[in-house]
Amino acid sequence: MVRKTLLRIMLLMLVMFLPVAALAETRIFDRENLFTPAEEQRMQEIITAIQDSWQMDVVVVTSSEPEWDGSREFADDFYDDGGFGLDEEASGMLYLIDMHNRVPCISTAGRMIDILNDARLDDLFDRSYDDLAAGNYGASTITLLERVTHYLRIGVAEGQFRYDEETGERLTESQNPLTQTEILVSVLIGLAAAGLMYLMVWNKYHLKGSTYSYNAAENTSCDLKDNIEVFANQTVTRRPRVQTSSSSSSRGGSGVHRSSSGRSHGGGRGRGF
């Protein structure tokens, strides 16, 4: 508890000493001098594109301050205390390269929690790991941010839901990737296509101006036969149906937790490098 309080105070002091204008524009905090100017420029281009296209924030931090297992707490608090996020949900993410514990960490907030589910987080860490382990920190970060853009283009995964990391309890229902408008349009198109096919068939076979009537009773027949099959020496095995638990698998959704400020965050840590 004391460690978390001290960490929060340090982050607040950092925010207070940054100029207001710089804080409004800066999204890359390379406190360990791991990136080249060209790499930072490319990162900023990606971040600006994400902000403009999806109204989500992206912050990149390199630091040696997190202690022991505090990478996730540091990332959550840095995002919250910095006032990042571009909508009422403070949607966005923070990517931390923790040089003290030598692990990468991602903290997500708002709508980004649903975009970057657990499986996609694993993919982000995997794709950027080789460069990270080789000390190519800038290239690794650019790869990760470009992959984030890819997932933003795809949108929320089918069946996405949130669950409590500690209890496994599902917190939201599975999301349908189709909006109500999309569903309505699809139904209308289906009805229109069915109606058109019906009219075409009816018009083709309808005898216009004719008094002809087909006598179905005189021109049809039906012959019913009994068919009895006896199965001998057959064995039927019944097995109880396995009931699935209401708790959620981490691969099928986004785990969430509370930061020290009380805000919901997703995310996680990658492999050590």
Side-chain angles (χ1 to χ4, degrees):
M1 185 67 182
V2 175
R3 181 170 63 84
K4 288 186 177 181
T5 302
L6 292 174
L7 179 60
R8 192 169 180 81
I9 292 173
M10 292 173 64
L11 291 172
L12 285 172
M13 291 179 62
L14 173 65
V15 172
M16 290 174 59
F17 282 109
L18 281 172
V20 176
L23 184 61
E25 299 296 332
T26 300
R27 290 297 185 271
I28 303 172
F29 300 86
D30 184 16
R31 301 161 73 177
E32 300 303 312
N33 298 315
L34 303 181
F35 308 143
T36 67
E39 289 170 339
E40 287 198 25
Q41 181 179 353
R42 176 55 185 153
M43 293 176 202
Q44 189 59 56
E45 290 173 355
I46 300 172
I47 292 172
T48 300
I50 291 175
Q51 292 172 331
D52 293 342
S53 299
W54 291 281
Q55 290 299 296
M56 295 206 202
D57 219 346
V58 177
V59 182
V60 176
V61 180
T62 68
S63 178
S64 294
E65 290 185 20
E67 298 179 6
W68 299 104
D69 202 29
S71 303
R72 188 173 71 173
E73 290 81 359
F74 181 92
D76 291 344
D77 289 343
F78 197 104
Y79 191 90
D80 292 346
D81 295 339
F84 300 111
L86 303 182
D87 59 12
E88 64 279 1
E89 298 181 67
S91 299
M93 61 166 284
L94 184 144
Y95 176 56
L96 168 68
I97 299 180
D98 176 2
M99 296 302 292
H100 178 80
N101 298 297
R102 297 192 67 81
V103 293
C105 182
I106 293 176
S107 173
T108 56
R111 292 179 291 126
M112 191 68 88
I113 295 176
D114 295 314
I115 294 293
L116 299 183
N117 61 18
D118 293 351
R120 291 178 174 181
L121 287 170
D122 287 345
D123 179 62
L124 291 175
F125 288 129
D126 287 344
R127 286 178 178 270
S128 58
Y129 179 79
D130 288 343
D131 277 328
L132 187 64
N136 301 322
Y137 304 109
S140 173
T141 303
I142 291 170
T143 297
L144 185 141
L145 295 180
E146 289 176 341
R147 192 63 176 170
V148 170
T149 302
H150 166 75
Y151 284 128
L152 285 167
R153 290 197 186 101
I154 293 176
V156 177
E158 183 176 359
Q160 165 64 16
F161 60 89
R162 299 184 187 185
Y163 68 93
D164 187 294
E165 289 183 359
E166 293 186 2
T167 65
E169 178 185 0
R170 184 177 291 212
L171 303 176
T172 62
E173 295 297 326
S174 298
Q175 295 191 32
N176 189 331
L178 294 178
T179 65
Q180 292 183 349
T181 301
E182 291 171 334
I183 294 174
L184 178 60
V185 170
S186 299
V187 171
L188 292 177
I189 292 175
L191 291 175
L196 180 61
M197 290 298 297
Y198 172 80
L199 290 175
M200 291 173 62
V201 174
W202 179 84
N203 184 65
K204 182 176 180 180
Y205 290 97
H206 180 61
L207 299 176
K208 298 180 180 179
S210 174
T211 59
Y212 173 78
S213 177
Y214 182 80
N215 193 326
E218 294 181 359
N219 292 281
T220 59
S221 63
C222 181
D223 185 14
L224 297 178
K225 295 181 179 179
D226 291 334
N227 187 6
I228 301 176
E229 295 182 0
V230 178
F231 292 91
N233 301 321
Q234 298 293 316
T235 302
V236 177
T237 302
R238 297 184 180 273
R239 293 184 176 87
R241 185 176 180 180
V242 178
Q243 299 294 330
T244 57
S245 171
S246 59
S247 63
S248 306
S249 167
S250 64
R251 298 305 91 193
S254 298
V256 296
H257 58 276
R258 295 282 181 180
S259 66
S260 59
S261 66
R263 178 180 292 171
S264 291
H265 283 271
R269 300 197 314 170
R271 290 173 287 165
F273 58 88

